[in-house]
Amino acid sequence: MAAAVASSCCASTSARPLVRRAGSRNGKLWWAGGVRKARLLSISATAAAPSGVDYAAGTGAAADDDAVAALKVKLLSAVSGLNRGLAGSQEDLDRADAAARELEAAAGGGPVDLERDVDKLQGRWRLVYSSAFSSRTLGGSRPGPPTGRLLPITLGQVFQRIDVVSKDFDNIVDVELGAPWPLPPVELTATLAHKFEIIGTSSIKITFDKTTVKTKGNLSQLPPLEVPRIPDNLRPPSNTGSGEFEVTYLDGDTRITRGDRGELRVFVIS
């Protein structure tokens, strides 16, 4: 009988693994429940299973971002050195237009959704290129004072200041007017104030409000001067006081627009 018990005891011991319980007395060994241990191992394996992640999609998105960034650099390189377009030849204009179309296509090829991305318009934008300036007038495709020898006008920086809350849309132009020797040239900033509204998905309509001129340099102490507005009945038919353009590319620091007369303009956040 003792042998049978001993045999049974040994058989049970060999079938169950022995585990030394932490803090056990006299080094006694205790059996770990085999079923319980197997269950815990199964749960651990399930928890460690990797979740389904589309790594290919992430890589593709990163590649698209890199492509867009490279095309932005290409566009800005194409328009650099053209003095906002005033010094551009027809070949320069064609090169800039092609680079802009590449960027527009890489960004989705569809219209910009200004209802969704209107906040991206906010801020002060600096004009880096306008195809309209190739006409050699400050009015672009519309009538404007000519640059060059006819009038001693030097165009400085051009900005657009947009406030999406108040709907203010100001074109700000730095201009230097030549003066007879020995008088120094007169530096001034002209602010053409407009109000804007979004038309459709990606177009903007601006309506002229007023023009304010502020002198700079030695005459900066003079107060701003509001230029009288031309009566509507005396205004040329081409100058309606309003205009429309489409935003064809927009992100946090670069904006491309195409005017109602086909003008291409490129802005960077200032």
Side-chain angles (χ1 to χ4, degrees):
M1 178 65 68
V5 173
S7 174
S8 175
C9 178
C10 292
S12 299
T13 302
S14 62
R16 298 180 180 180
L18 296 176
V19 179
R20 182 181 299 274
R21 188 176 65 177
S24 61
R25 297 180 181 178
N26 302 323
K28 291 185 178 180
L29 300 179
W30 298 81
W31 291 291
V35 175
R36 179 178 175 83
K37 185 176 182 181
R39 185 178 302 164
L40 289 174
L41 287 175
S42 176
I43 293 174
S44 176
T46 303
S51 59
V53 178
D54 189 355
Y55 294 103
T59 303
D64 291 343
D65 291 342
D66 291 343
V68 169
L71 290 174
K72 284 172 59 175
V73 172
K74 180 179 179 180
L75 171 61
L76 296 178
S77 298
V79 301
S80 65
L82 300 182
N83 191 16
R84 276 69 52 79
L86 288 167
S89 64
Q90 185 58 50
E91 182 180 354
D92 295 324
L93 268 63
D94 293 342
R95 185 183 302 109
D97 186 76
R101 293 189 184 279
E102 283 188 88
L103 179 55
E104 292 163 348
V112 174
D113 187 350
L114 291 180
E115 292 291 346
R116 180 194 63 199
D117 296 333
V118 66
D119 289 344
K120 294 181 179 180
L121 290 173
Q122 180 73 30
R124 182 182 174 97
W125 298 82
R126 180 171 60 88
L127 177 71
V128 295
Y129 174 77
S130 172
S131 63
F133 284 164
S134 65
S135 64
R136 302 301 188 271
T137 75
L138 300 185
S141 298
R142 294 175 170 81
T147 61
R149 297 181 179 179
L150 295 180
L151 288 176
I153 298 177
T154 301
L155 178 67
Q157 296 290 344
V158 179
F159 299 93
Q160 280 185 350
R161 182 174 56 206
I162 303 176
D163 190 323
V164 299
V165 177
S166 64
K167 302 300 182 183
D168 289 332
F169 192 105
D170 299 337
N171 288 322
I172 304 171
V173 184
D174 290 336
V175 178
E176 183 181 279
L177 303 179
W181 186 87
L183 298 177
V186 177
E187 299 179 359
L188 56 85
T189 298
T191 300
L192 287 73
H194 300 75
K195 290 291 184 178
F196 82 92
E197 60 179 314
I198 296 175
I199 305 297
T201 301
S202 58
S203 294
I204 292 179
K205 179 180 180 180
I206 58 174
T207 303
F208 176 75
D209 182 21
K210 62 182 179 180
T211 299
T212 304
V213 175
K214 180 70 174 71
T215 53
K216 302 166 59 178
N218 295 331
L219 301 178
S220 60
Q221 70 275 12
L222 296 178
L225 172 66
E226 184 172 330
V227 179
R229 182 171 180 174
I230 301 175
D232 293 342
N233 59 337
L234 298 179
R235 187 176 301 168
S238 59
N239 185 3
T240 61
S242 65
E244 294 185 20
F245 59 87
E246 182 182 10
V247 180
T248 57
Y249 178 83
L250 177 64
D251 64 18
D253 54 32
T254 306
R255 174 164 56 96
I256 300 175
T257 66
R258 294 186 179 272
D260 51 6
R261 301 192 181 189
E263 307 98 321
L264 168 67
R265 293 184 174 93
V266 181
F267 298 84
V268 295
I269 200 70
S270 175

